Amino acid sequence: MYWLFSIPIFISLYFLLSALNIKEKQRTIVLSFVFFILTSGNYYNGVDWLNYIYTYHLFYINEPNILSLQFEPGYLLVNWLLSRFFEDFHSVYFLNSFLWSVFFYKYRNFFKEKNVSSEVLMVVSYVFMGNLLFSGAIRQSFALLILLPSMLSMTNVSFRKWTLKVALASMFHFSAILILPLYFVVKRRATLINVLLIIVGLIALGCVLVGLPLFSNYFDLIPVIGRKLSSAFDRGAEAKLGLTIIIDFVCLAFLLTYRKKLVRNGNDILYLCTLMYFGLHACFMLFPYGQRLNAYLQLLALSFLLVSFRRDIFTVLTFGVVLLSISISTTKALYNPFFSFQFYNPMFYYSSLGLDSNEIFIRGSNICAITDDIDDRFCNKFHLLMRN
């Protein structure tokens, strides 16, 4: 989990470049490049790579069994294409990091029009999203990259185009399908009636999630997502109500109370996405596995915070409370036993280029020794790769 230790470096670099009065375009290019180095350096960190490296290896040796790979076809296609040119699975991380760097550079003018610096957003995104999207959740990261351009300008996007984008994104991570109804939410203005309708919908979702465990025995009958739901409950997913959900409700109260002030300058889309972010975050306390859905909204919520920030007591307080909520969600990863080995043994890809495959397998075995006690199925593919 070197990501945690690289945060001060990235933040310091931003302030250094700002102090040197370098032109904005050149500054963005430099930060985008460093962003690429830091995010692409997230390798042999997290746990998902234990399964991904097996899939990539099968494509590389031309022995893929598509029926047993159990990943979405878009992600498998990326693996196949890259394996034609590169032996190292890290090429997938290279591609993902490169696309994110291009995104922040390409949309710098869009965020500038919203009075937020693309550089600041890049730094903030790395701090609060680095451990998930840029380290472990590579498939969902690709999916979000497909959806974001349309999400930022939803008022100009037809439902047909949005459906096609969601379908394409779901080819990389099935959870993208669940974001389809977002179109009907953010196409509306952030009027009081529309906001209250969203709140009612979130309450209804919360009620559904409360009753979901009653049907856990039937999850395996549901195509595609049934296995995911069963896995979530098999791992002991349970409601975790505490300080975080209280902060969620505080944030929702702020957003509702000061709605008119927050949607000034046509920030309806960002406002509604932020409202959905904290509403869904509260709902998924009842079903923690569903928190992955919030990853699609987190960048927009962070953008809204930066857009709305003003030097008055209200926005400073709101910014602080919301930042605290996201910080708590982020730091939870530090206490996740799946990540405990990486926290005490951080590894940077570019400093490990001299390692042979045996060293990588040793690291993977150490991680699996921990994860096998929690989920004895998680490392099955990695164990199979070692035997081969």
Side-chain angles (χ1 to χ4, degrees), residues 216-270:
S216 58
N217 292 332
Y218 303 98
F219 287 160
D220 288 332
L221 301 177
I222 305 175
V224 183
I225 65 171
R227 184 176 58 85
K228 299 284 186 178
L229 291 172
S230 296
S231 176
F233 281 98
D234 287 345
R235 293 180 188 178
E238 58 182 9
K240 296 180 180 179
L241 308 180
L243 176 61
T244 305
I245 198 170
I246 294 174
I247 294 176
D248 285 334
F249 285 131
V250 170
C251 293
L252 288 171
F254 272 125
L255 290 170
L256 290 171
T257 304
Y258 297 97
R259 174 185 54 83
K260 290 183 178 180
K261 190 173 183 179
L262 290 171
V263 296
R264 57 192 172 190
N265 300 324
N267 291 326
D268 295 68
I269 291 178
L270 294 179

Side-chain angles (χ1 to χ4, degrees), residues 23 38 64 103 113 120 127 193 197 213 262 349:
K23 290 183 179 180
L38 292 178
F103 168 81
E113 292 174 359
V120 174
V127 172
I193 294 178
L197 286 174
L262 290 171
Y349 174 76

Side-chain angles (χ1 to χ4, degrees), residues 250-322:
V250 170
C251 293
L252 288 171
F254 272 125
L255 290 170
L256 290 171
T257 304
Y258 297 97
R259 174 185 54 83
K260 290 183 178 180
K261 190 173 183 179
L262 290 171
V263 296
R264 57 192 172 190
N265 300 324
N267 291 326
D268 295 68
I269 291 178
L270 294 179
Y271 172 86
L272 292 172
C273 285
T274 306
L275 185 74
M276 289 289 293
Y277 173 82
F278 289 107
L280 289 173
H281 193 269
C283 286
F284 287 131
M285 290 294 171
L286 303 169
F287 183 56
Y289 191 80
Q291 292 288 358
R292 278 289 186 93
L293 182 61
N294 262 7
Y296 293 108
L297 299 172
Q298 190 167 12
L299 182 66
L300 298 178
L302 291 171
S303 302
F304 181 69
L305 290 179
L306 296 174
V307 168
S308 304
F309 185 76
R310 299 289 186 277
R311 297 181 184 277
D312 58 66
I313 186 62
F314 159 71
T315 52
V316 170
L317 187 59
T318 303
F319 190 86
V321 171
V322 173

Side-chain angles (χ1 to χ4, degrees), residues 28-90:
T28 304
I29 291 175
V30 172
L31 284 173
S32 297
F33 175 74
V34 175
F35 180 87
F36 167 76
I37 295 297
L38 292 178
T39 53
S40 63
N42 257 320
Y43 189 43
Y44 311 134
N45 297 285
V47 293
D48 288 345
W49 69 272
L50 295 167
N51 290 320
Y52 293 156
I53 197 173
Y54 170 76
T55 300
Y56 191 89
H57 177 73
L58 290 183
F59 279 117
Y60 182 75
I61 62 176
N62 292 314
E63 293 183 8
N65 182 350
I66 300 298
L67 295 178
S68 66
L69 293 177
Q70 297 180 335
F71 291 130
E72 295 81 357
Y75 175 74
L76 295 179
L77 178 61
V78 169
N79 276 254
W80 177 78
L81 288 173
L82 292 175
S83 68
R84 300 305 88 198
F85 303 97
F86 308 101
E87 179 181 1
D88 192 350
F89 163 68
H90 189 63

Side-chain angles (χ1 to χ4, degrees), residues 75-291:
Y75 175 74
L76 295 179
L77 178 61
V78 169
N79 276 254
W80 177 78
L81 288 173
L82 292 175
S83 68
R84 300 305 88 198
F85 303 97
F86 308 101
E87 179 181 1
D88 192 350
F89 163 68
H90 189 63
S91 58
V92 179
Y93 282 87
F94 269 125
L95 177 61
N96 181 70
S97 299
F98 173 75
L99 293 176
W100 273 106
S101 299
V102 170
F103 168 81
F104 282 114
Y105 179 77
K106 181 179 179 180
Y107 282 87
R108 68 188 189 283
N109 290 330
F110 172 88
F111 292 114
K112 188 176 181 179
E113 292 174 359
K114 296 290 184 179
N115 297 317
V116 59
S117 167
S118 177
E119 304 150 29
V120 174
L121 181 60
M122 193 187 312
V123 173
V124 172
S125 299
Y126 183 75
V127 172
F128 293 105
M129 299 171 64
N131 188 49
L132 177 62
L133 289 182
F134 308 138
S135 178
I138 188 75
R139 288 151 49 225
Q140 191 171 10
S141 187
F142 280 120
L144 180 56
L145 277 166
I146 294 170
L147 293 173
L148 264 179
S150 295
M151 293 172 72
L152 291 172
S153 56
M154 191 72 85
T155 52
N156 301 319
V157 176
S158 66
F159 181 66
R160 180 168 177 253
K161 182 178 179 180
W162 174 245
T163 303
L164 291 174
K165 281 289 191 76
V166 170
L168 179 59
S170 66
M171 300 292 278
F172 289 84
H173 201 277
F174 81 97
S175 64
I177 297 174
L178 302 177
I179 211 72
L180 182 65
L182 183 69
Y183 180 86
F184 302 103
V185 175
V186 299
K187 286 286 280 190
R188 299 170 176 268
R189 297 294 301 275
T191 62
L192 179 60
I193 294 178
N194 289 335
V195 169
L196 290 178
L197 286 174
I198 293 173
I199 297 299
V200 171
L202 291 170
I203 293 174
L205 175 62
C207 294
V208 171
L209 293 175
V210 168
L212 199 58
L214 299 176
F215 304 94
S216 58
N217 292 332
Y218 303 98
F219 287 160
D220 288 332
L221 301 177
I222 305 175
V224 183
I225 65 171
R227 184 176 58 85
K228 299 284 186 178
L229 291 172
S230 296
S231 176
F233 281 98
D234 287 345
R235 293 180 188 178
E238 58 182 9
K240 296 180 180 179
L241 308 180
L243 176 61
T244 305
I245 198 170
I246 294 174
I247 294 176
D248 285 334
F249 285 131
V250 170
C251 293
L252 288 171
F254 272 125
L255 290 170
L256 290 171
T257 304
Y258 297 97
R259 174 185 54 83
K260 290 183 178 180
K261 190 173 183 179
L262 290 171
V263 296
R264 57 192 172 190
N265 300 324
N267 291 326
D268 295 68
I269 291 178
L270 294 179
Y271 172 86
L272 292 172
C273 285
T274 306
L275 185 74
M276 289 289 293
Y277 173 82
F278 289 107
L280 289 173
H281 193 269
C283 286
F284 287 131
M285 290 294 171
L286 303 169
F287 183 56
Y289 191 80
Q291 292 288 358

Side-chain angles (χ1 to χ4, degrees), residues 50 53-54 57 361 380-388:
L50 295 167
I53 197 173
Y54 170 76
H57 177 73
F361 286 139
N380 284 348
K381 293 178 180 178
F382 185 78
H383 293 321
L384 183 62
L385 178 62
M386 289 186 63
R387 287 196 293 269
N388 293 335

